[in-house]
Amino acid sequence: MAKESLLILLLMVVATNMAAASVSTRKLMFLVQPQPNQLTYHNGAVLQGDIPVSVIWYGRFTAAQKAVISDFLVSLSAAPRAAPAPSVSQWWSSIHQLYLSKAAATVGKSGGQSTGVAKIARVVLSGQVSDEACSLGKSLKLSQLPALAARARPAKGGIALVLTAQDVAVEGFCMSRCGRHGPVDAKADTAYVWAGNSATQCPGQCAWPFHQPAYGPQSTPLVPPNGDVGMDGLVINVASMVAGAVTNPFGDGFYQGDRAAPLEAATACPGVYGKGAYPGYAGQLLVDSATGASYNANGERGRKYLLPALFDPATSACSTLV
């Protein structure tokens, strides 16, 4: 069953404890304290070992925009010390420590075939396909996403990453979600992730904190580290959805709440990017002295990115890089 992030259009009330979260919620800065010890493992599949990622670019992206994403994907499994700390690969390693290692241990204890030792998840950029002409049109239904993802020919145990351009509308985009993940073929252990460039449609929802928020507490937008509000926002959503796709690819992995609309590794920490985050404030971040851009992770080729916090099931707290 597909996982999707829900856009919750509610104003924060200081005196009221709120319980809601989603990828879209993060974009509106509604910071939620997750319920203790409720994001648990449901004894299902997770993605481990080499994870081939195939990208399909749907609509027009410039070469510079594509490089932002491809460099991010390469950075996920970069060699130690390839980029200075805090790094993208450090963020990715946290997914193994917080989730994948626990899945292997649980399966091992339950008498399954697992040895109890998780294979280190390593992202491998396996291919890229462009559909600049938008062969399915510029208004997509959610039901079309798995078939579109299949065009990327994801390998067994891999992920098809569907990225839609800023002039492509997707059902529910901006109104109830900024990204989505689900199965392409559960029998082949393949999943898909979709996220869209929100630059012209809803940067206040899906590219915060790099754009003035559409709702909630107002704050000055941060300078995007790659100089592109839409693409730097897209990185946040891709990271959130890939984290969910790896830890809960087919609906029976790690999640909290309703299986049809779950809170997952990153979506359980909406709006949190650094220590001290609160509604309207992304947290204490690093600032590039040359550009003034805010970030919390270094990547390959000198890249800088802003990545979401990851929920730590052991402490019921959001874990940040900075």
Side-chain angles (χ1 to χ4, degrees):
M1 182 176 292
K3 319 310 175 298
E4 55 190 78
S5 53
L6 302 177
L7 180 64
I8 303 175
L9 305 178
L10 298 175
L11 297 176
M12 287 295 291
V13 180
V14 175
T16 304
N17 292 325
M18 301 182 68
S22 68
V23 168
S24 296
T25 323
R26 176 188 298 114
K27 308 310 169 283
L28 299 180
M29 298 106 38
F30 295 138
L31 216 64
V32 176
Q33 292 298 325
Q35 296 299 313
N37 302 318
Q38 289 188 355
L39 201 161
T40 56
Y41 181 46
H42 294 76
N43 300 316
V46 295
L47 300 183
Q48 300 184 50
D50 285 355
I51 303 175
V53 175
S54 305
V55 182
I56 179 164
W57 303 93
Y58 192 81
R60 186 178 182 277
F61 291 86
T62 67
Q65 289 177 323
K66 290 181 178 181
V68 171
I69 298 296
S70 58
D71 286 350
F72 168 66
L73 295 173
V74 170
S75 298
L76 288 171
S77 298
R81 294 182 292 280
S87 66
V88 175
S89 61
Q90 181 183 344
W91 179 85
W92 182 251
S93 294
S94 297
I95 294 176
H96 175 83
Q97 297 164 5
L98 299 176
Y99 292 93
L100 304 182
S101 62
K102 305 300 188 296
T106 300
V107 173
K109 289 179 181 178
S110 66
Q113 296 180 350
S114 172
T115 62
V117 178
K119 296 179 180 179
I120 299 297
R122 189 173 74 94
V123 169
V124 179
L125 185 56
S126 61
Q128 302 184 55
V129 177
S130 292
D131 187 352
E132 190 167 323
C134 297
S135 59
L136 298 180
K138 290 190 175 184
S139 181
L140 300 176
K141 298 289 187 182
L142 293 179
S143 59
Q144 294 177 288
L145 294 178
L148 184 58
R151 295 184 181 184
R153 299 181 181 276
K156 181 177 177 61
I159 295 173
L161 179 57
V162 179
L163 302 176
T164 49
Q166 62 184 8
D167 60 344
V168 175
V170 177
E171 180 184 355
F173 186 42
C174 300
M175 293 181 290
S176 60
R177 61 182 63 85
C178 296
R180 179 183 175 94
H181 75 84
V184 176
D185 184 346
K187 293 181 180 179
D189 294 331
T190 55
Y192 78 86
V193 163
W194 159 72
N197 183 344
S198 64
T200 58
Q201 297 185 55
C202 56
Q205 283 99 327
C206 296
W208 185 84
F210 301 125
H211 190 278
Q212 197 76 15
Y215 302 92
Q218 299 294 298
S219 58
T220 301
L222 302 181
V223 178
N226 295 286
D228 188 319
V229 169
M231 294 307 293
D232 278 297
L234 183 59
V235 168
I236 294 173
N237 295 315
V238 167
S240 296
M241 291 294 96
V242 168
V246 169
T247 58
N248 188 32
F250 309 119
D252 53 7
F254 288 91
Y255 68 90
Q256 172 185 335
D258 185 355
R259 175 172 173 168
L263 301 184
E264 299 173 327
T267 59
C269 292
V272 183
Y273 300 97
K275 289 181 174 60
Y278 57 80
Y281 175 57
Q284 300 173 23
L285 304 176
L286 302 176
V287 178
D288 189 308
S289 59
T291 65
S294 296
Y295 67 102
N296 61 8
N298 292 289
E300 291 280 275
R301 302 183 179 91
R303 291 282 188 187
K304 293 175 172 60
Y305 297 102
L306 187 65
L307 302 181
L310 296 171
F311 184 76
D312 184 344
T315 64
S316 294
C318 295
S319 175
T320 61
L321 285 171
V322 296

